[in-house]
Amino acid sequence: MAWPRGTHPAGTTFALRAEAGESVPLQSWPLAIWPDGSLKWTAHAMAPGKVAPGYEISAGTPAAPTTPLRVTQDADAVTVDTGVMVCRLGARGDRLIESIARGGVEVTRNGRLVCLREDRSDPEHPRLEDFRGTVAKVTVEQAGPVRAVVKIEGRHTHAGASARAWLPFVVRLYFYAGGDSIRLLHTIVHDGDENQDFIRGLGVRFEVPMRGELHDRHVRFSGQGDGLFAEAVRGITGLRRDPGREVREAQLAGAATPPLGTWRAPVPELLKYVPAYADWTLFQSSCDGFEIRKRTKAGRTWLTPARGQRAGGLAYVGTPGGGLALGLRNFWQSYPAQLDVRGATGDAAELTAWLWAPDAAAMDLRGYHDGMGQDTYEKQLKGLEITYEDYEPGFDKPEGVARTSELFLFPAAATPTREQLVQFAAVVRTPPQLATTPEHLHRCAVFGDLWAPVDRSHPGQEQVEQRLDWLFRFYEQQREERRWYGFWNYGDVMHTYDADRHEWRYDVGGFAWDNSELSTDLWLWFYFLRTGRADVFRFAEAMTRHTGEVDVHHLGRFAPLGSRHNVLHWGCSAKQLRISTALNRRFYYYLTGDERVGDLMREQIEAARALATIQANRKVAKERVTAPDPHATEVYAGFGTDWGSLAGAWLSEWERTGDAKMRARLVASMRTIAAQPQGFFTGGARMELATGAFAPSPFKKPNVSHLSAVFGLVEVCAELVQLLPEVPEFKQAWLDYCRLYNAPKEEQAARFGAPLSGIGLEQGHSRLTAYAARQTGDAALAARAWNEFLNPPGYGRGRPRPKNQAVHVAGPAVLRPIDEAPGVSTNDTAQWGLAAMQCLALVGDRLPRG
């Protein structure tokens, strides 16, 4: 929840009431504060129970849960008691979850992280090595009374001759008072050699005690929609001899069957001749297909009882005496994925959710080409000229890239009903999310004054809203039609379309995966802020998970920078702040309180230090970069994509903690940018790492890039002007940039002695003009902003205006029928969308008629 400045002082407690007026137990904590110390963002958690259509949060004393959640910790373990289950977490070793009990009965135990590495030292005879996640550190981040969060960190280790520890992990476990489920957020960071370390399987595994007769043991897999595959380890339906209707119905329901003595003869005597199946697998090999297999034991053939397209990602194994359902979110979207049950005929079964399926080919993160002789900057720039790829040997490595997965555990006191399992699967697919309204967020003035809720009262506004809606739905459709899915890909979109091939340029250098280019993330999040639409939220959420993890190097020599758009998410040699920027994560963090995204934002606080050894423009602007020096105390930083990203990290940390050092960096950098010879038009200067202050630039002529303002600079400057009015010179410098970037050439020449060069993306920059118009009340500027937006260069001169219409293509020109809009690129979409939304918010009252 957001709050207007000055509404609630720090330390305020909050109460929750359902629409009908009853109090609901609530736990609250601060996420961000305003400069006056009042609460800006707060996070809230409610206990499970009957869900009301809506709720109201206000200052007050929260209701206490009927059974408060309890957390105890000692040197060996952390124990969480929700009142429904007791979970014991290991503080060392390879058992992250030692046991989970319900009603005093252990229903699952030995929860581990597992990894299979394919050793290819002998390519003709690859060998598998088993690794297990080993705990290094356990932190209780929250301890109730409604919500508990436990963070577990470690590495995957192998006890063999190599005794190796690699693949760092971070796991967070979420518990709720009265809750009978656990949310598990799983992150791995790749620190291996992509030419040697081929991951064949990556998963989370539990043991489930199997009590009772084989015919009372059950396996379940969720299928498509409400579909469910449900069988017993030893089936008693369809036999030549009938045990009785009551017996059959009990097994089908997953309930305890009547005593054998009550069954019809001769079934009890002959039951031992009915096969019992120990091993079961659901393998999602692609986003379009899965199959279920089972076998009686190792060495026997597999049967394939079912196939389908997109599985729900939930598996269950257990008995009427207890069991475990385990679900993996985005199961088919993040293929190859797999759910395994092993040993269901023994004393304990193993249930594994494979994030990377061992039945698939090994994970291959090697480069997609050998460099093609690009061993000098000169050759690399020629490669950039033809494929838009910025290649450099040794830079197309996945060193430090991460992947976060979301799982759910449902420890059960007995085999759940089919209806309950379908409900579990629905939670796994689409976890419930409480959200406030666009109107409330706008009243709170969060994320600056660049947005406003949807308003269709003006005919022109209606046309812009229709275009915004069409663009979002087009990308949603393209994700499905083009199958933008997979473990390392889900959440991203493609950069540019190839109309000749009727295909996005998935294999053409810098035109393939988008990697947040020109602020795709911001487009989606501002669109959600305005609309409050769940479909937009889920799309943006998937992108935030992807771009914050996969497109960023979290350890190693490139950390914590991100990688520019490429065929491989980490393939470009331009490692940049503009991709790793905290500005792309703040929305999801403040709207959900997600701890992992909070960690990612904090990674960026000292990101400028990476510029001491790696600068993205080292090949094209040699006069402005500094020589690599890991001990440098200052670096060259541009005032656009570099400083905007740094300011976003400092701003976020200042808001989250009130850290005076972060505020001081912001103020120092703002004042010294304003003091430059040409303000923002100077382009950049040397920045002191400790203070954020810029030295005066020796360059007196303007240095303009069309990219400077399109990676979050507009958004962070709007917030800084709002939050730090005591730096008026910064506001003036920013307004000068906003007014002059798209200004007529004669106006630029009057200010700089000559028109500016390097101008581009004029339509996207119309929002800068609109901002200056709003801040100054200049009606002429407002009119100019709308003209820049509605009539950008090129329209009417061979470049048709875009239509809210896709063309259907079928037949031999394509593999399968598709829809395309050849004039649509992700760069243009993101910048058009941001310009549209911000112009409407800033100067919507000046939108021309017709």
Side-chain angles (χ1 to χ4, degrees), residues 524-578:
L524 290 169
W525 281 119
F526 274 106
Y527 193 46
F528 169 73
L529 291 180
R530 301 176 70 249
T531 64
R533 284 169 46 178
D535 56 347
V536 179
F537 179 92
R538 302 296 182 184
F539 200 104
E541 177 186 36
M543 181 170 287
T544 297
R545 283 278 184 230
H546 170 89
T547 58
E549 301 283 12
V550 179
D551 298 347
V552 177
H553 300 274
H554 304 272
L555 55 77
R557 62 175 174 146
F558 305 135
L561 304 177
S563 279
R564 174 181 168 269
H565 41 97
N566 193 262
V567 171
L568 300 177
H569 296 286
W570 47 83
C572 187
S573 73
K575 308 301 183 182
Q576 298 178 310
L577 291 164
R578 74 191 204 192

Side-chain angles (χ1 to χ4, degrees), residues 702 704 743-750 752-759:
V704 181
K745 292 185 181 299
E746 55 272 18
E747 187 176 343
Q748 294 176 348
F752 300 108
L756 295 171
S757 60
I759 299 297

Side-chain angles (χ1 to χ4, degrees), residues 168-205:
F169 66 82
V170 178
V171 167
R172 279 186 170 92
L173 297 164
Y174 295 81
F175 304 86
Y176 293 86
D180 57 3
S181 64
I182 303 168
R183 177 172 175 252
L184 188 157
L185 205 63
H186 171 284
T187 301
I188 55 105
V189 182
H190 196 280
D191 65 340
D193 181 342
E194 73 277 12
N195 295 302
Q196 299 293 330
D197 295 312
F198 296 88
I199 294 175
R200 184 62 181 271
L202 184 71
V204 181
R205 175 176 294 160

